[in-house]
Amino acid sequence: MGKASQLFKTDLKGLDRLIKKLRSDGYVVYGPVKRGRSWFFLEIDSVKQVDLNYVRTVLPPKKLLHPPREKLFEFKLGDGFEVSEKPMPPTVALFGVHPCDLKAIERQDEFFSQTPEDPYYLARRRNALIIGLTCTRVDENCFCLSRGTGPEVSTGFDILITDVGNGYLLEPGSAKGLELLKSLGFQEVGDEYLEAKQKLIEELKKSFTKQMPPEGLAELAKSMLEHEVWKETAERCLSCGNCSLVCPTCYCFDVYDVLELNLRSGVRVRELDSCQLLEYAEVALGGNFRRNRFQRLRHWMLCKFGVAGGGLYSSCVGCGRCIVYCPANIDLTEVASRLRGGG
Ligand code: SF4
Ligand code: SF4
């Protein structure tokens, strides 16, 4: 997605028009909506439903491109093996995606585009339109700055929105995004808006307190598989899998068939899986490659540090979700810091 050079500006009403235009173009639009003290990507039809100052949603927008559970196809055993057509994926527009989640989607795109391509993910992704949103605040669990995945972002969106105080700067990131902005007749503006945006981002960078720089971390972690931090941390771990289920870069899934009672028809389903769960590495005859909790915790963190099979595709973008939603208060940045010899 090459970045176009034209810039536009609008106000809240303009953002509302954008959402309505997407809906009239056939998109199901999702945006960050506040419920209680948390935010969720939910279907929206107006900008009034959206919190443009949100920090992070519970589940990342990944849930709309790589759903937690999906039916792949139906099958029937007759004379042969009949398989139903693949269901048509809904055309989604993701409104208000933060930089760390944009980076995570880029990694998922690369992962699922490898040979053999994943037709289910790619069908949804090709039709999707992504509207990024520059963060206006960070909390104590954000660390994208140290990961190089935010708060600035230059790719991975069709349009990027930034609140520059006296309106919203709109930067097209694709031909589709540019066409949309032009069709809405938004006012064109000059580079001074980019300068205003940059100033806000520089200010925002001062608010980050947590960090986990990637430099050398993968090699270090790989060379310290016996460090006591793994077992000590795992003593608190409940093996609940929350950390990987909320992670925007975890992509592992399980595929299974659900058979009807007649044993002649059924559906094939895929569901997100987690390497933190005992069953994940289970093999025939009761074998398990990661029977101990510390092995599973270590494996998951190594993956997030960029070591495991997924390499960079599944490494951490610093969104902070796994820290916020871990019932045992386990923080992978503290583990990384122990490995580096701190604490
Ligand atoms: S490992 Fe944690 S902080 Fe990093 S991307 Fe995943 S959920 Fe976010
Ligand atoms: S969320 Fe926390 S307790 Fe649950 S598996 Fe992950 S590290 Fe363990």
Side-chain angles (χ1 to χ4, degrees):
M1 288 181 200
K3 192 167 168 296
S5 55
Q6 271 169 292
L7 302 171
F8 300 83
K9 177 194 162 185
T10 193
D11 55 12
L12 263 188
K13 280 190 187 151
L15 293 185
D16 201 50
R17 281 202 293 129
L18 172 58
I19 291 171
K20 293 196 162 55
K21 163 89 173 123
L22 289 169
R23 285 174 59 86
S24 72
D25 287 351
Y27 288 99
V28 184
V29 188
Y30 291 84
V33 175
K34 193 162 191 190
R35 289 272 189 275
R37 289 189 302 167
S38 306
W39 294 274
F40 302 84
F41 264 91
L42 300 178
E43 190 180 340
I44 53 165
D45 56 24
S46 158
V47 78
K48 285 189 198 136
Q49 295 162 282
V50 174
D51 183 354
L52 293 166
N53 294 311
Y54 82 107
V55 180
R56 72 175 69 72
T57 51
V58 177
L59 288 184
K62 175 185 86 174
K63 71 175 185 176
L64 298 155
L65 300 171
H66 180 29
R69 188 171 198 272
E70 70 178 311
K71 182 170 91 178
L72 298 181
F73 54 78
E74 292 173 11
F75 57 83
K76 219 186 257 172
L77 296 174
D79 290 338
F81 185 71
E82 279 173 47
V83 175
S84 68
E85 288 283 308
K86 274 204 304 271
M88 277 297 289
T91 308
V92 297
L94 307 178
F95 180 93
V97 181
H98 278 165
C100 59
D101 283 334
L102 291 174
K103 278 284 153 207
I105 292 173
E106 279 190 330
R107 290 185 190 176
Q108 300 256 313
D109 290 350
E110 285 171 31
F111 175 74
F112 286 117
S113 302
Q114 294 177 103
T115 310
E117 289 187 343
D118 186 302
Y120 300 96
Y121 178 89
L122 293 179
R124 270 189 293 267
R125 182 63 184 93
R126 282 190 190 114
N127 291 336
L129 189 116
I130 298 188
I131 300 182
L133 175 68
T134 305
C135 299
T136 51
R137 60 186 170 130
V138 299
D139 75 3
E140 68 281 8
N141 290 313
C142 295
F143 56 103
C144 63
L145 178 61
S146 67
R147 303 292 298 165
T149 51
E152 284 149 318
V153 69
S154 56
T155 56
F157 54 84
D158 294 289
I159 296 172
L160 179 68
I161 303 174
T162 305
D163 182 351
V164 284
N166 60 346
Y168 296 92
L169 169 66
L170 301 166
E171 295 171 70
S174 69
K176 204 157 57 163
L178 178 61
E179 197 186 316
L180 192 58
L181 292 176
K182 282 184 169 170
S183 73
L184 285 159
F186 291 140
Q187 180 195 343
E188 276 199 53
V189 292
D191 282 354
E192 66 277 12
Y193 276 82
L194 280 185
E195 285 158 27
K197 170 186 145 183
Q198 202 50 42
K199 263 194 196 155
L200 290 168
I201 288 179
E202 292 311 316
E203 253 334 284
L204 191 68
K205 284 181 182 174
K206 295 179 191 162
S207 321
F208 284 87
T209 51
K210 201 178 274 299
Q211 53 161 312
M212 192 178 81
E215 289 77 21
L217 182 58
E219 296 69 28
L220 182 75
K222 212 162 34 173
S223 69
M224 298 184 107
L225 298 181
E226 302 307 322
H227 193 288
E228 64 268 17
V229 72
W230 302 118
K231 283 190 177 153
E232 280 174 26
T233 312
E235 272 167 27
R236 286 154 48 209
C237 177
L238 306 171
S239 284
C240 65
N242 265 9
C243 46
S244 62
L245 296 176
V246 298
C247 179
T249 62
C250 276
Y251 47 69
C252 287
F253 57 82
D254 192 12
V255 175
Y256 58 89
D257 292 342
V258 182
L259 276 175
E260 295 293 339
L261 281 178
N262 62 14
L263 301 183
R264 308 295 297 166
S265 57
V267 287
R268 182 154 298 175
V269 174
R270 85 160 153 192
E271 216 167 56
L272 280 188
D273 203 352
S274 168
C275 59
Q276 291 275 31
L277 303 177
L278 179 65
E279 300 79 14
Y280 182 93
E282 212 165 47
V283 290
L285 303 176
N288 195 318
F289 293 108
R290 288 189 284 273
R291 195 176 294 285
N292 296 316
R293 223 166 0 155
F294 91 88
Q295 295 172 313
R296 298 196 291 278
L297 179 94
R298 184 178 64 187
H299 179 80
W300 182 75
M301 286 201 185
L302 286 173
C303 190
K304 299 297 113 184
F305 296 164
V307 176
L312 278 184
Y313 300 126
S314 57
S315 68
C316 174
V317 291
C319 72
R321 286 184 178 91
C322 59
I323 304 167
V324 176
Y325 297 109
C326 173
N329 293 325
I330 290 172
D331 179 337
L332 81 170
T333 69
E334 287 170 10
V335 173
S337 152
R338 288 271 305 274
L339 292 175
R340 287 194 194 274

